[in-house]
């Protein structure tokens, strides 16, 4: 690990100012410290934000929830309001990492964790995300865990977060703060950038822009599921995951919120798939059409070809279960 300066932020504005001047935020550090040890990231300075007042979960006036950026994954997953009204989020969090990591990992840090592509972590190989212009060794290499949607010739990395997939299905927004004190709200789906020809640019955040909170809309009708398919029962990233919220009335689907993990460089959501389902009677034929639409532009790269039929089966299974439960 290379030498670096370290400072504790006194206020959110102070943290944003230091980051704007080149420092890197650190909270739980569950991803950042690994990257620093491998010299994949080598920040010259860290600004510790753990003492900021960003660790509260508060009810909003509209019936939603405001989650501070420093709320740990464990506290969020076990919050009684989350478990009752937004259970897909609790289930997604509990499906991720280990108990020890959830005790340290924060809401803001979880959203901004880096890809787990093997070539991103291996400094001896080509990776446009780590070293722009060097190439993408993953395309013709061992790409079993990598993306089949939203990729480019420059990068096929996946986003690893379970929490972000559930939040995407819930329609979450991110609240940010800049060094001048100004704020903005970003729909979670707009936070992330697809790789295109600049895979090193992963989000729309500006230098020094601090995630202060995530807001969830008021609870909606429907049953909720988070289904994660992975190589082992715990402490493994998703090969395919689905966060689903489905409501059924008189045998017809009245709401379908679906987000997907393990398939793309960002938590994936396709409005056309949801529109196809809405208003229709539940059936395996309908669910198959939804899967066809979702995966119409999917492309495998050899070792990850299996993800396409796996995603199809997982989506159909989730929709079947949700529609049956919602009709009960």
């Amino acid at each position: 690990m290379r030498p670096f300066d370290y400072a504790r932020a006194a206020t959110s504005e102070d943290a944003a100012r230091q980051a704007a001047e080149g420092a890197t935020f650190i909270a739980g550090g569950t991803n950042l410290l690994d990257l620093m040890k491998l010299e994949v990231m080598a920040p010259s300075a860290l600004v510790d934000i753990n003492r900021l007042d960003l660790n509260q979960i508060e009810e909003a006036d509209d019936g939603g929830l405001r989650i501070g950026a420093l709320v740990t994954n464990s506290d969020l997953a076990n919050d009684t309001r989350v478990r009752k009204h937004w259970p897909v989020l609790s289930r997604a969090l509990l499906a991720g990492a280990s108990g020890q990591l959830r005790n340290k990992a924060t809401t803001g840090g979880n959203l901004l964790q880096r890809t787990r592509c093997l070539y991103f972590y291996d400094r001896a190989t080509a990776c446009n995300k780590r070293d722009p212009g060097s190439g993408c060794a993953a395309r013709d290499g061992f790409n079993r865990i990598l993306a089949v949607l939203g990729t480019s010739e420059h990068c096929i990395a996946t986003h690893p977060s379970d929490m972000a997939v559930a939040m995407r299905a819930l329609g979450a927004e991110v609240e940010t703060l800049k060094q001048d004190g100004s704020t903005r709200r970003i729909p979670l789906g707009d936070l992330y950038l697809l790789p295109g020809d600049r895979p090193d640019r992963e989000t729309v955040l500006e230098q020094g822009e601090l995630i202060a909170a995530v807001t969830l809309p008021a609870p909606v009708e429907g049953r909720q599921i988070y289904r994660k398919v992975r190589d082992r029962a715990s402490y493994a990233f998703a090969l395919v995951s689905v966060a689903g919220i489905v409501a059924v009335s008189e045998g017809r689907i009245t709401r379908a919120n679906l987000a997907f993990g393990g398939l793309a460089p960002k938590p994936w959501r396709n409005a056309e798939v949801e529109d196809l389902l809405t208003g229709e009677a539940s059936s395996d034929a309908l669910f198959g059409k939804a899967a066809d639409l979702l995966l119409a532009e999917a492309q495998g790269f050899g070792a990850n070809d299996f993800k396409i039929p796996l995603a199809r089966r997982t989506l159909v299974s989730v929709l079947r279960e949700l529609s049956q439960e919602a009709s009960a």
Side-chain angles (χ1 to χ4, degrees):
M1 186 182 291
R2 300 180 188 179
F4 57 88
D5 294 329
Y6 170 87
R8 291 193 177 106
T11 64
S12 296
E13 291 79 8
D14 177 42
R17 176 189 59 77
Q18 292 190 53
E21 294 173 355
T24 297
F25 297 123
I26 185 169
T30 56
N31 185 206
L32 176 60
L33 292 179
D34 285 342
L35 294 168
M36 290 176 65
K37 291 174 184 176
L38 295 171
E39 296 188 0
V40 174
M41 292 181 66
S44 60
L46 298 180
V47 53
D48 188 335
I49 62 173
N50 280 295
R51 296 189 179 185
L52 303 183
D53 187 22
L54 300 174
N55 61 351
Q56 304 298 316
I57 304 175
E58 303 168 312
E59 296 178 17
D61 293 339
D62 63 358
L65 209 62
R66 185 177 186 274
I67 305 160
L70 294 179
V71 172
T72 67
N73 288 181
S74 289
D75 286 346
L76 183 58
N78 292 304
D79 185 271
T80 55
R81 295 160 294 187
V82 173
R83 294 175 64 183
K84 180 178 181 180
H85 298 297
W86 297 274
V88 67
L89 176 56
S90 179
R91 293 169 184 172
L93 285 161
L94 292 173
S98 65
Q100 295 93 329
L101 285 173
R102 290 195 297 269
N103 288 341
K104 291 295 294 181
T106 62
T107 298
N110 187 297
L111 293 178
L112 298 179
Q113 61 184 299
R114 311 294 298 276
T115 182
R116 263 48 179 198
C117 175
L118 298 175
Y119 299 97
F120 175 71
Y121 277 77
D122 183 358
R123 295 175 59 239
T125 62
C127 173
N128 288 317
K129 186 179 288 293
R130 186 190 66 247
D131 184 14
S134 63
C136 176
R139 288 180 64 90
D140 298 317
F142 185 72
N143 48 46
R144 184 173 183 274
I145 67 170
L146 301 181
V148 297
L149 289 170
T151 62
S152 76
E153 62 179 301
H154 302 282
C155 184
I156 60 172
T158 44
H159 193 274
S161 174
D162 292 290
M163 183 192 78
V165 177
M167 285 185 168
R168 183 89 198 268
L170 291 167
E173 292 187 335
V174 176
E175 295 181 14
T176 69
L177 175 71
K178 301 180 184 180
Q179 63 171 329
D180 62 3
S182 62
T183 62
R184 63 169 169 161
R185 293 170 67 101
I186 307 169
L188 186 63
D190 296 336
L191 174 66
Y192 301 105
L193 298 171
L194 292 178
D197 60 359
R198 286 293 307 275
D200 56 306
R201 297 178 59 187
E202 298 176 342
T203 73
V204 299
L205 297 179
E206 300 173 7
Q207 180 70 34
E209 192 169 6
L210 173 69
I211 292 179
V214 177
T215 59
L216 300 181
V220 297
E221 292 184 1
R223 306 298 291 268
Q224 302 182 19
I225 281 179
Y226 186 73
R227 179 73 52 78
K228 181 176 181 179
V229 182
R230 49 188 165 176
D231 285 323
R232 55 182 183 269
S234 65
Y235 199 47
F237 296 100
L239 298 171
V240 173
S241 66
V242 182
I245 306 169
V246 169
V248 176
S249 177
E250 298 180 352
R252 294 189 177 272
I253 296 172
T254 58
R255 171 186 294 276
N257 291 17
L258 299 166
F260 303 87
L263 297 179
K266 61 189 286 186
W268 197 256
R269 190 170 177 181
N270 187 323
E272 293 181 359
V273 173
E274 297 174 2
D275 291 342
L276 173 70
L277 293 165
T278 304
E280 299 295 326
S282 302
S283 70
D284 281 355
L286 175 66
F287 303 155
K289 290 179 181 178
D292 287 341
L293 184 56
L294 172 70
L295 299 165
E297 298 183 2
Q299 177 187 1
F301 297 90
N304 67 347
D305 291 352
F306 75 98
K307 281 194 174 190
I308 298 174
L310 178 62
R312 165 182 286 279
R313 293 194 300 270
T314 305
L315 175 58
V316 170
S317 175
V318 165
L319 288 173
R320 186 184 296 135
E321 183 174 348
L322 280 171
S323 61
Q324 289 172 351
E325 288 186 355
S327 302

